[in-house]
């Protein structure tokens, strides 16, 4: 190997001294490093992938309850709008929307030139038909029982606000609401159905009847990046790429939805290579992140919260506000996230869906929590570690669903947290496998007088801050705990009717301030899930709770390799 002599007297002497001898020092010249070569995958058209779906009852997307079918149908159908990861509304089929009459009238213009999979042009009448068909179910008519199956694509309360829908031209429709409505645009995210798919020469009433008939021979026709090819009942649905999609052609030739009975069954199918994609709600999704499996976590709309039961006599006392404040300051959300969910959850101070949930942790302040109780006269007079109220141990009962192991763990964490401020919690675990769970809770909380209750909610995609708080007509709302406050109702009514987005944000902040004072509910966490994608699927993973397969048109399995040498 070539050697070079190092010259320079001072350098030679110093090297000689360090080496302990007087020989001339030499070093070996290293060969030049090989430039790093990276391989870039250049997408090519072709290939199919398999994704999980639940059992499907016909092919009308509105008659399937399963959330996985909702995501799958987003590959076929598109809505006027969609919601992005930040919780913001984005136009899809709609070009513009203008408001008049104080927010009661929406004039929607469609993007031009968009076609259904059969080549026919999307028209305002198709949008109007979809809205009228859903509204027929929302208003409690003959098809109301089926409307309940729409599963987050359209909310009954949202669509009940629509008064009249009129297609004024092929590209424009007018939606008249009975009042100004803050979530009007957000509620228009559901898939648009081609009207004639339910009968070419039929009246609208007959088409709507077919719309809700699971036995009707309906062939899905949408405007999305993939189109329906075939299905096998109880087994699969096959889609092919829509080469004429109005945005851009997908790289994949097709997507097959494979029926899985459960998450465990889906994970097994994914592990065995039957599925290329799977979702999991497990606390440790990274354990699947091997053998080139990619794991993409996202926040879900499934929330856990602690409710104060205002049916309890405890909250009629003047100390009640101090008790709620002390509990809020003592509960450690970080501990819940770490010990119960292994870090796979996002903090939630309020019951708000992803994007709108800011994920802010309430700070733990045990000293302040204790001071709140001290000032209220709830003190530990005998130094046994438990405070007294009216000369008796200060005990609170916490109702928990015994069938939910995660919720039971949360209850134990809350019990531990409150022990630190001298509050004794008695956990009352109850099996709640009831036919009418909401009514059971409503009755139980009144009769049993539990002070606290842990509840989980699927918040849906339309933010509704008051769903568990509003006291107007409380027998038909989700206000199970008897909370009443006229000032809070006024804030919620204003928030519900505000159509200006900037004003809505301001009023949402006012609502949060009121919640921080009143504290009828303590948000704890929004749970997370994860998308698992195996090594044969390439492309960015941009899925979220609103659109699991967002950007799938850019996924690819076929590719050619190109060497990228940065030295060239």
């Amino acid at each position: 190997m070539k050697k070079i002599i190092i010259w320079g007297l001072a350098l030679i002497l110093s090297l000689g001294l360090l080496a302990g001898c007087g020989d001339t020092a030499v070093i070996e010249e290293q060969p030049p490093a090989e430039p790093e070569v990276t391989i870039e995958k250049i997408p090519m058209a072709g290939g199919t992938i398999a994704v999980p779906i639940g059992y499907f009852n016909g092919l009308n997307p509105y008659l399937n309850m399963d959330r996985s079918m909702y995501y799958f149908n987003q590959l076929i159908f598109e809505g006027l709008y969609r919601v992005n990861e930040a919780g913001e509304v984005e136009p899809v089929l709609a070009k513009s929307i203008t408001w008049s009459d104080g927010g009661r009238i929406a004039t929607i213009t469609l993007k031009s030139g968009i076609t259904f999979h059969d080549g026919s042009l999307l028209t305002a009448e198709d949008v109007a038909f979809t809205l009228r068909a859903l509204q027929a179910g929302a208003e409690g008519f003959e098809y109301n029982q089926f409307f309940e199956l729409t599963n987050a694509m359209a909310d009954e309360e949202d669509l009940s606000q629509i008064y009249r829908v009129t297609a004024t031209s092929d590209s424009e429709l007018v939606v008249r609401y009975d009042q100004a409505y803050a979530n009007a645009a957000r509620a228009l995210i559901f898939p648009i159905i081609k009207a004639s798919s339910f009968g070419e020469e039929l009246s609208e009433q007959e088409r709507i009847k077919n719309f809700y008939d699971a036995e009707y021979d309906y062939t899905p026709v949408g405007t999305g990046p993939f189109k329906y090819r075939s299905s096998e009942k109880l087994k699969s649905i096959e889609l092919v790429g829509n080469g004429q999609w109005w945005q851009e052609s997908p790289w994949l030739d097709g997507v097959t939805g494979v029926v899985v009975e459960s998450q465990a069954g889906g994970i097994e199918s994914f592990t065995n290579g039957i599925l290329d994609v799977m979702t999991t709600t497990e606390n440790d999704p990274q354990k699947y992140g091997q053998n080139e499996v990619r794991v993409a976590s996202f926040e879900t709309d499934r929330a856990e919260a602690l409710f104060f039961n205002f049916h309890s006599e405890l909250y009629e006392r003047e100390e009640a506000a101090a008790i709620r404040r002390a509990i809020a300051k003592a509960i450690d959300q970080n501990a819940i996230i770490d010990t119960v969910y292994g870090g796979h959850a996002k903090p939630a101070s309020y019951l708000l869906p992803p994007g709108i949930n800011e994920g802010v942790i309430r700070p733990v302040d045990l000293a302040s929590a204790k001071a709140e109780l001290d000032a209220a006269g709830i003190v530990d007079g005998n130094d046994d570690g438990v405070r007294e109220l009216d000369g008796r141990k200060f005990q609170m009962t916490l109702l928990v669903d015994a069938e939910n192991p995660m919720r039971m763990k949360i209850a134990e964490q809350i019990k531990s947290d409150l022990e630190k401020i001298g509050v004794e919690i008695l956990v009352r675990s109850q099996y709640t496998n009831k036919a009418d769970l909401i009514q059971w809770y409503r009755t139980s909380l009144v009769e049993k007088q539990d002070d606290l209750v842990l509840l989980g909610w699927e918040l849906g995609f339309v933010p509704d801050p008051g769903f568990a708080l509003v006291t107007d007509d409380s027998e038909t709302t989700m206000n199970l705990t008897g909370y009443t406050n006229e000032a809070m109702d006024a804030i919620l009514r204003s928030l519900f009717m505000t159509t200006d987005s900037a004003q809505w944000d301001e009023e949402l902040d006012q609502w949060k301030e009121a919640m921080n004072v009143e504290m009828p509910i303590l948000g704890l966490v929004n749970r997370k899930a994860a998308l698992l994608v195996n090594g044969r699927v390439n492309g960015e993973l941009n899925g979220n709770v609103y659109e699991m397969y967002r950007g799938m048109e850019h996924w690819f399995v076929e590719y050619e390799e190109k060497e990228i040498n940065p030295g060239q």
Side-chain angles (χ1 to χ4, degrees), residues 58-71:
L59 297 172
N60 182 344
Y62 290 98
L63 300 188
N64 289 289
M65 296 177 63
D66 188 83
R67 181 70 71 97
S68 65
M69 280 297 296
Y70 170 67
Y71 294 130

Side-chain angles (χ1 to χ4, degrees), residues 314 317 323 377-397 419 422-426 451:
L314 177 64
R317 302 176 62 103
I323 292 170
I378 307 174
V379 297
D380 181 8
N382 57 9
D383 293 327
D384 65 350
V386 180
R387 294 173 180 268
E388 291 88 36
L389 179 63
D390 296 337
R392 292 176 293 181
K393 277 188 177 183
F394 183 40
Q395 296 177 328
M396 301 180 72
T397 58
E419 284 177 353
V423 177
E424 186 171 87
I425 296 295
L426 303 178
D451 303 303

Side-chain angles (χ1 to χ4, degrees), residues 478-492:
M478 294 295 104
N479 184 345
L480 307 180
T481 59
Y483 174 74
T484 59
N485 186 294
E486 292 183 3
M488 182 71 77
D489 284 347
I491 293 173
L492 290 170

Side-chain angles (χ1 to χ4, degrees), residues 362-381:
R362 281 188 304 274
V364 176
D365 190 342
L366 297 181
S368 180
K370 292 175 182 178
E372 290 276 10
L373 296 175
D374 289 342
I378 307 174
V379 297
D380 181 8

Side-chain angles (χ1 to χ4, degrees), residues 435-551:
D436 189 344
L437 185 59
I438 296 301
Q439 186 56 45
W440 180 86
Y441 268 116
R442 197 187 304 275
T443 302
S444 181
L445 290 171
V446 172
E447 293 178 352
K448 300 297 184 182
Q449 297 281 300
D450 296 298
D451 303 303
L452 304 164
V453 56
L454 267 177
L455 293 173
W457 294 97
E458 191 171 280
L459 300 175
F461 300 162
V462 178
D464 183 9
F467 78 95
L469 293 171
V470 66
T471 58
D472 295 343
D473 194 19
S474 60
E475 285 301 311
T476 60
T477 68
M478 294 295 104
N479 184 345
L480 307 180
T481 59
Y483 174 74
T484 59
N485 186 294
E486 292 183 3
M488 182 71 77
D489 284 347
I491 293 173
L492 290 170
R493 280 194 295 270
S494 179
L495 193 59
F496 180 83
M497 297 176 66
T498 299
T499 56
D500 180 82
S501 58
Q503 185 179 348
W504 191 86
D505 289 340
E506 291 179 5
E507 295 195 2
L508 185 66
D509 287 339
Q510 293 177 14
W511 172 75
K512 290 178 181 178
E513 291 176 6
M515 287 289 289
N516 292 339
V517 172
E518 281 289 295
M519 294 186 176
I521 301 170
L522 297 180
L524 299 174
V525 300
N526 281 4
R527 298 185 61 177
K528 285 186 177 181
L531 185 67
L532 310 177
V533 180
N534 69 18
R536 63 182 295 267
V537 180
N538 303 276
E540 292 186 9
L541 304 181
N542 297 315
N544 56 69
V545 70
Y546 302 109
E547 195 174 353
M548 180 71 69
Y549 302 127
R550 186 181 180 111

Side-chain angles (χ1 to χ4, degrees), residues 18 32 49 90 107 120 160 202 260 322 350 368 387 458 468 492 521 532 563:
L18 289 171
I49 64 172
E90 297 177 342
T107 301
S120 61
S160 67
L202 299 181
V260 296
Y350 315 98
S368 180
R387 294 173 180 268
E458 191 171 280
L492 290 170
I521 301 170
L532 310 177
E563 289 190 358

